[in-house]
Amino acid sequence: MAALDAALPLGAAEAPAWDADGAVLAGAFAQLYVVACYTSLGLGCAVCAWAALAGLLGDSKARGLPLPALHSWLKRFALAVLMVHPNPAPRAAAGAKPRPSPNTKPKPNPTPNADNGNATPSLRLSPSGGGNGKKRRRRRRAEAQPLGPAVKVRHLAVIMDGNRRWGKREHGDGIRGHAAGGEALGRFIEACIAEGLEVLTVYAFSTENWNRSPAEVAALMNVLCEHAEEMRRGAVERGLRVRVCATQPQRLPSIVRQRLRRLEEDTRDGTNFTVNVCVSYGGRDEIALAARRIACKVEAGELRPEDVDEDLFAQHLTTAATPDPELLLRTSGEHRLSNFMLYQCAYSELVFIDKLWP
C-alpha cells in the first residue's frame, strides 16, 4: 500500500476536503492516468473511465453517498488493476525502437527454399484497396510469396483464365471477353519484352475446352483466327518468333491450322523474343505423346531403353526448344494447373492472382 500511495497521488490519507467536485475528479483522473501508464489500457481508456466516473459522482451525490468512500473505492479499483497487470508497460518514446523481452526469441527471416541460402527478392502483386472482408482475404492470398533463389526469370508461363467471366460481367457476353483477352495478350507481350524476359508461353485453348458448347467453340476459333493474323504481322515487325504447341492439332478447323502454320513459318527467324501459344493442348496428352514417340524409336532401334532420361524426354515435348519456365502465373483466382505444362513446371514458382485476364 505504501508503494501504491506513492504511485497514486491524492490517496485517502492525503485527500483534501471533499466538498468540491473538481477535487474528486482531478484525483480520479490522476489515479486513472497512472493505471494507464503502468498497464496496457492506454490513455484513451483512462479518459473514458474518468468521464464515466464523473457520471458516477453525480449519481453518488444524488443518493447521498460520502465522497471519501467513493475515493476509497477508486483506489481499491486501481490497486486491483495493477495486480492484474504486474509488469509496467510505459509508452515508448516517439521514434524509439521497442526493447525485446529477455524471454522472447528473435524470429528468423523466412527463406522459402531452405536448400538454397541465397537472398530472395520479393515479387508482390499489388491488390486494389477497399472491398469487403472476403475480398480482402482473397487479395491477401493473391499476393505472391517471395520467389526462391535470386535467379533471372527467362521463361514465364501464363494461364490466361477469366476471359468469359470478364466478358459476361462487363458486357453480358462471354465471347467479347475472349476477344478482349487476345488484345490484352499483345500488351502483355510488350510488357514481358520490356522486363527482359526471353520466352512467354500462354495457355490459349486447352483440350478440355472442346467440351464447351459448339457455338462457343466456333466463336473461339474465329477469335483465334483473327488474332493469329494480327500476331503474325506484329511479330514480323518486331522480330519475334511464335511457336504453336498443340497435342491434338487434328481437332482444329482447317482454316485455323492454316493460319497457325503461316504464323509459325513467317516468324521462324525471329530472335528478339519467343512466344509459345498452346492451342488444343493438354499436359497429360503431351506426356503420353512424348512417351509414345520414345517407345517408337526404341522399337525401331534408334534408341536404347537405358538412353531414356529426363533430358531426352524433355526433347520430345512440344516445348523442346525452350527452357523450363521459372515462373507460372494464373489469373482469375483459381489455384490449379488445369493440365498445363505438367512436366515443364515441376520446379516453377506458382503465382495465382484474383484478377481476371483481360
Side-chain angles (χ1 to χ4, degrees), residues 17 19 41 120 132-133 144 147 161 165 205 215 253 273 277 303 310 335:
D19 53 351
L41 294 178
T120 57
N132 55 31
L147 289 179
D161 192 19
R165 279 172 281 173
F205 190 88
F273 191 75
V277 182
L303 289 174
E310 292 184 11
H335 292 192

Side-chain angles (χ1 to χ4, degrees), residues 164 175 178 205-224 251-253 256:
R164 180 169 54 173
I175 302 302
H178 292 296
F205 190 88
S206 70
T207 52
E208 287 78 12
N209 291 148
W210 291 113
N211 297 325
R212 297 187 177 183
S213 65
E216 183 177 1
V217 171
L220 286 171
M221 293 298 105
N222 291 333
V223 171
L224 186 59
R251 302 183 68 175
L252 295 168
V256 175

Side-chain angles (χ1 to χ4, degrees), residues 130-149:
N132 55 31
K134 183 178 180 180
K135 291 183 178 180
R136 286 195 296 270
R137 288 193 296 272
R138 293 178 64 190
R139 283 195 293 269
R140 284 197 294 269
R141 291 197 303 268
E143 291 183 0
Q145 298 298 322
L147 289 179

